Amino acid sequence: MESLAVDLHIHSCLSPCAERDMTPNNIAGMAMLKQLDMIAVTDHNRAQNARAVARAAEEYGVLVLPGMEAQSREDVHLLCYFPDFDLLEEFDDWHYRFLPDMPAMPQLFGEQWLMDEEDCRVGDEPRLLLQSTTLSIDEVCQKVLAMGGAMVPAHVNRQANSLLYNLGFIPPGLPVTTLEVSRLAPSPEGIGGYRTIYSSDAHDLGAILERDNFLRVQERSVAAVIRRLKEKSGNIG
């Protein structure tokens, strides 16, 4: 077993609520400075900057777990992780079909910048990303699992966009084994039997975690992390 220092919930400048300096190279460089082994860039409802972050992170020896933060029709945030970037982008294309065609409003919510691995701005996402899709929690979960990925409900103890706050319970039969818990909110109740992980939900560079949050896996790889997040017992975080 290996212990990886991880932060699996970081937003790039594609997310309108993130700072503009959350570019691929800045995120990768900060992860290196904080001595992290693996990160995940999980932007709201899109994944177009994730591969660029992974390419930038190669120089620093930081692994990047392909991911996205989907928002279900119940207004619940769901971290969706995949074995590779081709699968993530396939999911991104499918998921985008269920995002209402509401135009971005940068003057109210912030810019939504598309970046390459050189930190060049190559475009802007035209739809507002801070909105719910028409997909249910179960529909998102079933799609992620069918593609070999892992779904982790985000910040379940927060009083916004969380499974426990929005629904009041974990739906019986929902095929998830891991929940993300925020360190900035009171410890949740009623999650016995679920694995918990901690991440930063960073929207600025300084919020990215230090090397104090570890995930035990069989090997240092994306595949091992996906397997760990889908296991039915144990505790990580």
Side-chain angles (χ1 to χ4, degrees), residues 29 38 71 127 138 164 237:
M38 178 181 282
Q71 185 167 325
R127 292 188 191 179
D138 188 64
L164 293 179

Side-chain angles (χ1 to χ4, degrees), residues 14-85:
L14 174 57
S15 293
C17 47
E19 296 295 323
R20 297 303 94 198
D21 61 358
M22 294 295 277
T23 63
N25 278 275
N26 283 348
I27 292 170
M30 184 60 73
M32 181 272 294
L33 289 173
K34 295 197 172 187
Q35 301 181 12
L36 297 178
D37 299 308
M38 178 181 282
I39 61 173
V41 169
T42 52
D43 283 311
H44 291 292
N45 285 324
R46 292 242 69 178
Q48 296 145 296
N49 283 354
R51 194 187 287 266
V53 175
R55 289 171 175 162
E58 288 177 2
E59 179 180 350
Y60 302 113
V62 177
L63 287 176
V64 177
L65 177 65
M68 175 203 290
E69 186 173 30
Q71 185 167 325
S72 74
R73 68 181 179 220
E74 299 92 349
D75 294 331
V76 172
H77 287 180
L78 306 164
L79 298 169
C80 304
Y81 302 115
F82 296 90
D84 60 52
F85 286 96

Side-chain angles (χ1 to χ4, degrees), residues 112-126:
Q112 300 179 158
W113 289 352
L114 307 176
M115 309 290 288
D116 66 17
E117 61 268 30
E118 302 297 329
D119 282 3
C120 294
R121 182 179 174 185
V122 296
D124 297 84
E125 168 53 45

